[in-house]
């Protein structure tokens, strides 16, 4: 917004209101839009008042042209201005001077011929055409300008802070993913865990990149098959129970441990309540995208983590320690 083209409420004097030929209220959208009032003077100047820090219900108090009577016309109350040379435009929710109404209608018809969806024209622009002004000179409420400048500064500071806290390759400890989590088995892909502590719980995400190997024939894959695609998945965990990672053991260790009655270590057991049990490693979560290279898949995982971090960043991420539990 241009600081040189601003106005303040004291500028809207009695003499100013004598020049106004069009007035429109645009209520808050409910989706973050604060609402505004648009005024047009006969000199072709448009005045935009934003309700960023002013309640919209004060519109009538600030702009007396929108004062109403007790008389109802359909669903609305009649405006006092309608008894003093003004007409109400229902679709535009605006008031327009009677002496330019015909020209406004002609401008709207011309706009409709120019564009199939002529409502892309703002009503205030059509009103400008009605008074013979093609390009309006815009003035913004100084309060809106200052508010926008303050928001821009705050957003710049937030972006600067986010940039410092953004996850990098250093926070992604990619580990190989084997069938049944047994290193002697073939490698399925890689995975990375990101965790943080919140409300006394450990929460986190797992990014898995599954290798798609070439098939010699349907469901037949040679041991030396090439990887033809890298498939990225995402899994979210609200409360991590047990070790912070999969405990990898060899087939020989499993056989030795399993052969000893009552001596099977609990951390290697097949408990459902342990988040990262060996049997859970192929639970990849939600599919994100497929890539042609491992580097692309890892880069996208990092980008996705920064956009959908769930509160995990360089400042909050927990360092992973082997064997550490809650």
């Amino acid at each position: 917004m241009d600081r040189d083209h601003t106005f303040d409420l004291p500028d809207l004097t009695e003499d100013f209101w004598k020049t106004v030929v069009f007035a429109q209220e645009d209520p808050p959208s409910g989706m973050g839009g604060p609402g505004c009032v648009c005024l047009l003077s006969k000199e072709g100047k448009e005045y935009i008042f934003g309700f960023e820090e002013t309640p919209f219900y004060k519109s009538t108090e600030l702009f007396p042209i929108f004062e109403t009577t007790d008389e109802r016309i359909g669903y609305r109350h009649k405006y006092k201005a309608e008894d003093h040379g003004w007409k109400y435009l229902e679709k535009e929710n605006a008031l327009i001077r009677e002496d330019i109404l015909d020209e406004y209608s002609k401008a709207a018809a011309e706009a409709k011929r120019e564009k199939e969806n002529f409502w892309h024209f703002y009503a205030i622009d059509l009103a400008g055409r009605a008074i013979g002004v093609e390009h309006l000179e815009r003035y913004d409420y100084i309060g809106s300008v200052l508010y926008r400048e303050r928001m821009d500064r705050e957003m710049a500071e937030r972006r600067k802070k986010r940039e410092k806290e953004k996850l990098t390759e250093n926070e992604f400890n990619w580990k190989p993913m084997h069938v049944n989590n047994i290193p002697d088995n073939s490698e399925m892909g890689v995975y990375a865990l990101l965790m943080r502590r919140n409300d006394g719980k450990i929460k986190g995400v797992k990014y898995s990149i599954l290798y798609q190997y070439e098939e010699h024939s349907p469901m037949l894959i040679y041991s030396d098959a090439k990887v033809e695609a890298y498939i990225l998945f995402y899994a979210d965990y609200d409360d991590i129970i047990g070790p912070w990672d999969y405990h990898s053991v060899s087939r020989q260790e499993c056989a030795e441990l399993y052969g000893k009655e009552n001596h099977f270590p609990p951390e290697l057991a097949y408990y459902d309540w342990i988040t990262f049990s060996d049997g859970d490693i192929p639970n990849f979560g939600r599919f994100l995208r497929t890539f042609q290279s491992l580097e692309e898949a890892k880069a996208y995982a990092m980008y996705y983590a920064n956009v959908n971090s769930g509160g995990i960043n360089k400042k909050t991420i927990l360092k992973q320690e082997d064997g550490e539990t809650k």
Side-chain angles (χ1 to χ4, degrees), residues 17 23 39 91 96 103 181 184 196 202 204 250 271 282 304:
W17 283 107
L39 305 174
K91 289 183 179 179
I96 189 169
E103 292 301 321
N181 202 35
D184 292 343
R196 73 182 180 105
I202 295 176
S250 66
Y271 291 127
Y304 191 91

Side-chain angles (χ1 to χ4, degrees), residues 132-247:
V133 179
E134 190 73 23
H135 301 290
L136 304 180
E137 187 178 1
R138 174 167 171 162
Y139 289 79
D140 290 285
Y141 172 53
I142 184 62
S144 298
V145 174
L146 296 176
Y147 176 87
R148 181 63 178 269
E149 290 178 355
R150 186 169 71 253
M151 289 298 102
D152 287 344
R153 289 193 299 269
E154 290 181 8
M155 289 301 297
E157 287 298 320
R158 291 177 188 176
R159 284 193 292 268
K160 187 177 179 180
K161 181 181 178 182
R162 282 200 302 267
E163 195 64 30
K164 289 182 179 179
E165 298 177 350
K166 184 183 291 186
L167 296 168
T168 65
E169 294 177 356
N170 296 329
E171 283 71 54
F172 282 79
N173 183 19
W174 293 101
K175 297 182 179 181
M177 187 165 49
H178 300 275
V179 176
N180 295 326
N181 202 35
I182 299 174
D184 292 343
N185 287 342
S186 60
E187 187 172 324
M188 298 188 299
V190 295
Y191 70 94
L193 299 172
L194 307 176
M195 306 181 198
R196 73 182 180 105
R197 194 180 299 277
N198 184 37
D199 296 332
K201 298 179 180 179
I202 295 176
K203 303 183 179 184
V205 294
K206 177 178 74 172
Y207 290 93
S208 302
I209 301 176
L210 181 66
Y211 299 160
Q212 179 177 301
Y213 290 98
E214 278 184 335
E215 291 184 345
H216 178 69
S217 63
M219 300 184 68
L220 175 59
I221 300 174
Y222 287 157
S223 59
D224 61 347
K226 296 180 180 179
V227 178
E228 61 182 4
Y230 300 84
I231 309 171
L232 178 63
F233 296 87
Y234 166 92
D236 184 62
Y237 300 94
D238 288 331
D239 188 8
I240 294 171
I241 304 294
W244 286 13
D245 206 348
Y246 298 102
H247 187 97

Side-chain angles (χ1 to χ4, degrees), residues 41-307:
S41 72
K42 61 185 179 182
E43 295 87 2
K45 297 179 180 180
E46 60 174 330
Y47 297 83
I48 310 297
F49 180 94
F51 288 88
E52 292 86 359
E53 296 185 304
T54 306
F56 187 78
Y57 65 79
K58 288 194 173 183
S59 174
T60 303
E61 177 184 333
L62 299 175
F63 306 100
I65 194 170
F66 296 119
E67 290 181 2
T68 57
T69 67
D70 293 332
E71 181 183 350
R72 294 190 66 88
I73 302 177
Y75 66 90
R76 69 177 181 88
H77 284 278
K78 182 180 179 181
Y79 289 98
K80 290 182 179 180
E82 292 181 79
D83 291 327
H84 299 86
W86 291 79
K87 287 292 185 180
Y88 176 69
L89 302 173
E90 184 174 355
K91 289 183 179 179
E92 297 88 336
N93 189 33
L95 291 166
I96 189 169
R97 284 262 300 269
E98 287 182 345
D99 54 351
I100 67 168
L101 181 60
D102 288 342
E103 292 301 321
Y104 179 89
S105 299
K106 292 177 182 178
E110 180 65 26
K112 190 173 183 179
R113 284 192 293 270
E114 292 178 19
K115 286 189 178 181
E116 182 177 348
N117 188 357
F118 80 103
W119 291 114
H120 285 173
F121 284 96
Y122 290 108
I124 196 168
D125 292 322
L126 296 177
R129 290 189 178 191
I131 60 174
V133 179
E134 190 73 23
H135 301 290
L136 304 180
E137 187 178 1
R138 174 167 171 162
Y139 289 79
D140 290 285
Y141 172 53
I142 184 62
S144 298
V145 174
L146 296 176
Y147 176 87
R148 181 63 178 269
E149 290 178 355
R150 186 169 71 253
M151 289 298 102
D152 287 344
R153 289 193 299 269
E154 290 181 8
M155 289 301 297
E157 287 298 320
R158 291 177 188 176
R159 284 193 292 268
K160 187 177 179 180
K161 181 181 178 182
R162 282 200 302 267
E163 195 64 30
K164 289 182 179 179
E165 298 177 350
K166 184 183 291 186
L167 296 168
T168 65
E169 294 177 356
N170 296 329
E171 283 71 54
F172 282 79
N173 183 19
W174 293 101
K175 297 182 179 181
M177 187 165 49
H178 300 275
V179 176
N180 295 326
N181 202 35
I182 299 174
D184 292 343
N185 287 342
S186 60
E187 187 172 324
M188 298 188 299
V190 295
Y191 70 94
L193 299 172
L194 307 176
M195 306 181 198
R196 73 182 180 105
R197 194 180 299 277
N198 184 37
D199 296 332
K201 298 179 180 179
I202 295 176
K203 303 183 179 184
V205 294
K206 177 178 74 172
Y207 290 93
S208 302
I209 301 176
L210 181 66
Y211 299 160
Q212 179 177 301
Y213 290 98
E214 278 184 335
E215 291 184 345
H216 178 69
S217 63
M219 300 184 68
L220 175 59
I221 300 174
Y222 287 157
S223 59
D224 61 347
K226 296 180 180 179
V227 178
E228 61 182 4
Y230 300 84
I231 309 171
L232 178 63
F233 296 87
Y234 166 92
D236 184 62
Y237 300 94
D238 288 331
D239 188 8
I240 294 171
I241 304 294
W244 286 13
D245 206 348
Y246 298 102
H247 187 97
S248 298
V249 294
S250 66
R251 287 180 176 176
Q252 183 179 355
E253 287 175 313
C254 280
E256 290 176 355
L257 291 169
Y258 194 73
K260 296 178 181 180
E261 188 176 356
N262 298 325
H263 287 85
F264 195 82
E267 65 269 18
L268 302 180
Y270 202 78
Y271 291 127
D272 290 338
W273 52 270
I274 294 180
T275 303
F276 299 113
S277 61
D278 288 349
D280 189 59
I281 198 166
N283 290 334
F284 308 121
R286 184 162 62 91
F287 166 77
L288 290 181
R289 281 197 65 179
T290 299
F291 299 88
Q292 294 300 308
S293 71
L294 183 59
E295 291 72 22
E296 287 179 318
K298 288 182 177 180
Y300 190 89
M302 184 172 65
Y303 173 81
Y304 191 91
N306 281 309
V307 175

Side-chain angles (χ1 to χ4, degrees), residues 20-39:
V20 175
V21 296
F22 177 88
Q24 182 181 39
E25 279 187 310
D26 189 7
S29 66
M31 299 295 289
C36 68
V37 161
C38 304
L39 305 174

